[in-house]
Amino acid sequence: MNLPAPARLRLGVNIDHVATIRNARGGDHPDPVRAAEIVASVGGDGITAHLREDRRHIRDADLKRISEATALPLNLEMAATEEMVQIALAHRPHAACIVPEKREERTTEGGLDAAGLHNQLQPVVSRLTDAGIRVSLFIAPEERQIEAALRLGAPVVELHTGEYAHATGEQVAVELKRVADMAALAAKSGIEPHAGHGLTYENVQPVAAIPQLAELNIGHYLIGEAVFVGLEAAVRRMRELMDAAR
Ligand code: PXP
């Protein structure tokens, strides 16, 4: 089944790093819930939050508060562990994006090995899907990972754009082509492609121009920019750049 090109590219804003700043002082300011409300007020399409095993930014109580504060769909990023499955089943977010997670990493460094972890992922994908949660797999833009997502029955893949974002010189076009080719392959296979990681004002447009992509998830850069111009202005500017690229 070939998915038609989506009319509009959605912007999901990852608000984890508002919680990172909050947690630096152990209090309740700045509140990621307020960030979610601002994202909703400026036309963001979704809130993305990663509940990590070590709770370094988003915490369990934040999920409920975020869901209650805005009508925007919540995309819960989570490791494929029993603990996280239980939390997802209790909270019923709109979507769950399965990510690889290493305790010592600074951020999600690579894609999920959907191909190598098939047997571990299958029950996780099934249980979340049965609960009405839209499952996405955060994978490297590689054919074998798309094929694995297809075997697992995941309706969505999020293509990891970190290699593209970190590339320099001629490698930029090579990495961009990998993302574009795998977005096309996913859509051709009936899987909705999303993308994210490391996107900025400077590098977002070539990715936003990939016609099959339905959603971008952007966090660190937007929260960093918000320090200087405010979250509202940062989200608006990203939205303008994305729209201009289509
Ligand atoms: N999508 C996924 C699945 C992620 O894990 C992350 C980072 O947590 C992002 C998007 C956002 O990446 P960044 O913070 O670099 O914009």
Side-chain angles (χ1 to χ4, degrees):
M1 185 192 39
N2 205 339
L3 290 187
R8 185 169 178 275
L9 180 60
R10 295 193 299 269
L11 171 59
V13 177
N14 184 319
I15 58 172
D16 292 348
H17 296 301
V18 177
T20 304
I21 300 172
R22 174 195 62 189
N23 297 354
R25 285 294 174 96
D28 57 11
H29 185 272
D31 189 347
V33 170
R34 188 165 160 203
E37 288 168 347
I38 291 171
V39 170
S41 75
V42 289
D45 301 287
I47 301 297
T48 294
H50 185 176
L51 186 69
R52 292 187 82 99
E53 186 194 14
D54 63 7
R55 310 301 198 268
R56 70 174 73 158
H57 36 58
I58 294 295
R59 296 179 184 145
D60 301 59
D62 293 329
L63 294 181
K64 187 161 183 278
R65 293 172 60 244
I66 292 166
S67 301
E68 285 171 356
T70 88
L72 288 183
L74 174 66
N75 173 32
L76 173 66
E77 291 180 5
M78 53 175 271
T81 62
E82 183 57 28
E83 182 198 16
M84 289 301 151
V85 171
Q86 291 297 341
I87 290 170
L89 295 178
H91 277 282
R92 307 275 170 133
H94 166 78
C97 181
I98 315 288
V99 301
E101 198 174 300
K102 290 191 229 107
R103 213 168 236 277
E104 63 281 10
E105 70 191 353
R106 263 189 286 181
T107 179
T108 314
E109 281 160 3
L112 186 72
D113 183 11
L117 296 174
H118 177 94
N119 292 348
Q120 187 190 327
L121 292 172
Q122 186 68 84
V124 173
V125 173
S126 302
R127 288 164 74 198
L128 295 173
T129 302
D130 290 350
I133 301 168
R134 199 157 190 244
V135 176
S136 160
L137 303 178
F138 188 42
I139 56 170
E142 292 169 4
E143 200 166 329
R144 68 187 195 101
Q145 299 297 352
I146 304 274
E147 286 163 0
L150 197 57
R151 282 196 299 278
L152 285 162
V156 178
V157 291
E158 182 168 329
L159 301 171
H160 196 303
T161 49
E163 298 287 336
Y164 160 74
H166 297 133
T168 54
E170 288 172 8
Q171 203 54 30
V172 176
V174 173
E175 294 299 338
L176 180 65
K177 185 168 185 308
R178 286 177 64 203
V179 177
D181 287 352
M182 290 309 111
L185 178 63
K188 207 172 131 207
S189 314
I191 299 177
E192 185 176 288
H194 299 176
H197 203 89
L199 297 176
T200 68
Y201 294 159
E202 284 71 35
N203 66 19
V204 73
Q205 289 199 300
V207 176
I210 297 171
Q212 295 86 1
L213 287 178
E215 179 174 310
L216 300 184
N217 283 296
I218 308 181
H220 184 266
Y221 184 84
L222 281 176
I223 304 306
E225 266 299 290
V227 171
F228 303 114
V229 301
L231 186 57
E232 193 174 321
V235 173
R236 274 194 214 285
R237 176 80 186 127
M238 191 61 85
R239 181 76 256 172
E240 278 167 16
L241 289 166
M242 287 164 56
D243 290 342
R246 282 258 154 152

